[in-house]
């Protein structure tokens, strides 16, 4: 487990995978797994149990995690493109 090269709240670009080229803000870092949750990317569906608020239960969509090695800061990405 190394220190991440990105920080919470920073805008990043996805370098590889199905979300390649997309940008988003880092919502959360998961250092134990070397992963990050990026706003609006890697959307997954989760089933929620029945509760008082949702008597029928629900299927909610939320962000999944992306490995930090597949992310790069927007500043570094744009500087790399400018060369």
């Amino acid at each position: 487990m190394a220190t991440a090269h990105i920080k919470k709240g920073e805008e990043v670009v996805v370098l590889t995978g199905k979300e390649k080229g997309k940008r988003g803000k880092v919502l959360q870092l998961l250092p134990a797994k070397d992963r990050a949750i990026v706003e609006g990317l890697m959307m997954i569906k989760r089933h929620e149990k029945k509760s008082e608020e949702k008597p029928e239960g629900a299927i909610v969509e939320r962000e999944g995690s992306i490995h930090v090695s597949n992310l790069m800061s927007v500043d570094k990405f744009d500087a790399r493109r400018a060369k």
Side-chain angles (χ1 to χ4, degrees), residues 1 10 32 35 39 42 48 50 58 71 75 80 83:
M1 179 174 77
E10 185 175 15
R35 298 179 81 81
E39 184 176 40
M42 293 297 286
E48 287 192 351
K50 295 177 183 179
L71 300 173
D75 300 332
R80 186 176 76 167
K83 287 183 181 180

Side-chain angles (χ1 to χ4, degrees), residues 10-36:
E10 185 175 15
E11 193 167 344
V12 294
V13 178
V14 180
L15 301 175
T16 60
K18 72 176 189 178
E19 303 284 352
K20 181 178 180 177
K22 295 184 181 175
R23 296 171 181 232
K25 191 172 97 175
V26 177
L27 298 176
Q28 184 179 3
L29 285 170
L30 307 169
K33 296 181 179 180
D34 283 341
R35 298 179 81 81

Side-chain angles (χ1 to χ4, degrees), residues 47-66:
H47 295 261
E48 287 192 351
K49 285 178 136 182
K50 295 177 183 179
S51 65
E52 284 188 24
E53 300 90 45
K54 298 176 183 169
E56 295 297 310
I59 300 172
V60 294
E61 241 188 328
R62 62 177 175 210
E63 291 90 356
S65 63
I66 303 173

